Amino acid sequence: MATQVLIRPISDNPKAPHYLIFFITGNPGLIQYYDAFLKTLHQLLSEAPLSQNEVFHIFGQSLAGFEDNDTPVPSTGYPHTLEDQITSRLQLLEDQRIPAGPRQGEEYDGIILIGHSVGTYMLLELLQRLRKSGSSLKVKGGVLLMPTVMGLAESPSGVMSSPIFRIGGFPWAFSRAAKGLIWLTPRSALKWVVSSVLGMPENGAETTTRFLTSSMGVWQALHLAADEMRTITVDKWDDDIWGIEHAGPKSDIPKLFFYFAEKDHWVADHTRDTLIAARGKKVGEKSSKPEMAIDSNGIGHAFCLKYSETVAEIVKPWIDEIITASVDA
């Protein structure tokens, strides 16, 4: 299976604006979980563009350590840390250029970042690092889905798992034990369990089975999760990211949209509510602060398993708004 989702249409119009949707996965970091979401989103953007000539490209790649042939970090012998993942996403983003046509090799006219779960934390880190480095990339905004950007250990799942993650060597030991059990289980039987017992649809079941049978996927997921618990603690970003009240029309602060589940086992209600109160844009307020919404459709944290099309329909107008704001600025 592919390690990337690439949608790169070709336009012969030298004046067409090219926009890149750059997607950052959650954990487990397999891009295949998001295939239906990204393809539906691209279809919606292409069928109802703001004008007649925008060209939308989509790029997403699995996190390091989750694919079949991935290996531990040579210098440490351990899986990739959260910092490793951020650094590799930053390099991937900086490498992106218009792939073909009369503007081949040029930078995109606008980039919109989308992250899910821990991918939202990486998104904010990318924004801050790009702005501090003076990068020429034109990042216009971001969409943060089921965001885990602070207080991860205080979430319901964090409360249960963080003591276990403090046990030395737990990720490696558990992954070895799990791998032994999985090795004894025929792949078809494993997929049946994932599909029937856990209730996953076909794509989710196939991707999960591949994740469980990969060389180091389970170890990587647990190692990364332990690092997330230690790192995702407090609000660490400044007004260049969060925006300010009474921002002028020429503000270059990226426009951000946060979308929370009503009940999320990886986000404590009080963490979500505190973040919305402190950083969210108030109704009627003129500011560059993020717009934050709580789902009312029963969509859970792992939206990509059953609600890909619904979430794509929610995200599409936000991307339109980001582009409109950047054109008007």
Side-chain angles (χ1 to χ4, degrees), residues 110 171 218 257 260 266 280 284 323:
V218 175
F257 292 87
F260 294 93
W266 285 114
I323 293 173

Side-chain angles (χ1 to χ4, degrees), residues 40-80:
T40 302
L41 180 59
H42 186 265
Q43 181 180 352
L44 293 171
L45 290 167
S46 300
E47 288 178 350
L50 292 171
S51 67
Q52 296 300 311
N53 60 353
E54 291 112 346
V55 182
F56 292 98
H57 304 252
I58 290 184
F59 177 91
Q61 180 169 306
S62 296
L63 298 182
F66 286 95
E67 292 296 342
D68 292 333
N69 297 322
D70 286 351
T71 58
V73 178
S75 60
T76 67
Y78 285 93
H80 300 264

Side-chain angles (χ1 to χ4, degrees), residues 95-216:
D95 289 343
Q96 300 303 307
R97 296 293 186 273
I98 296 172
R103 297 186 57 195
Q104 182 176 5
E106 294 182 20
E107 291 187 357
Y108 287 94
D109 298 291
I111 298 172
I112 297 98
L113 306 178
I114 302 180
H116 172 229
S117 191
V118 68
T120 63
Y121 180 91
M122 297 188 218
L123 186 157
L124 294 179
E125 278 294 299
L126 293 187
L127 285 177
Q128 181 143 293
R129 296 180 192 199
L130 287 170
R131 293 177 74 82
K132 287 186 175 181
S133 70
S135 171
S136 62
L137 294 182
K138 305 176 185 70
V139 179
K140 303 300 183 181
V143 177
L144 296 86
L145 302 171
M146 317 308 167
T148 56
V149 298
M150 55 185 285
L152 185 61
E154 300 171 13
S155 67
S157 289
V159 169
M160 289 190 297
S161 60
S162 55
I164 299 173
F165 283 128
R166 287 196 289 269
I167 300 173
F170 169 76
W172 182 85
F174 184 88
S175 67
R176 293 302 94 187
K179 197 170 185 64
L181 292 173
I182 292 167
W183 183 80
L184 295 172
T185 307
R187 193 180 193 281
S188 58
L190 181 62
K191 184 177 178 181
W192 178 86
V193 170
V194 171
S195 177
S196 301
V197 178
L198 300 181
M200 288 191 183
E202 172 62 26
N203 180 64
E206 176 61 33
T207 303
T208 301
T209 302
R210 181 164 165 258
F211 159 64
L212 292 173
T213 56
S214 64
S215 60
M216 59 174 286

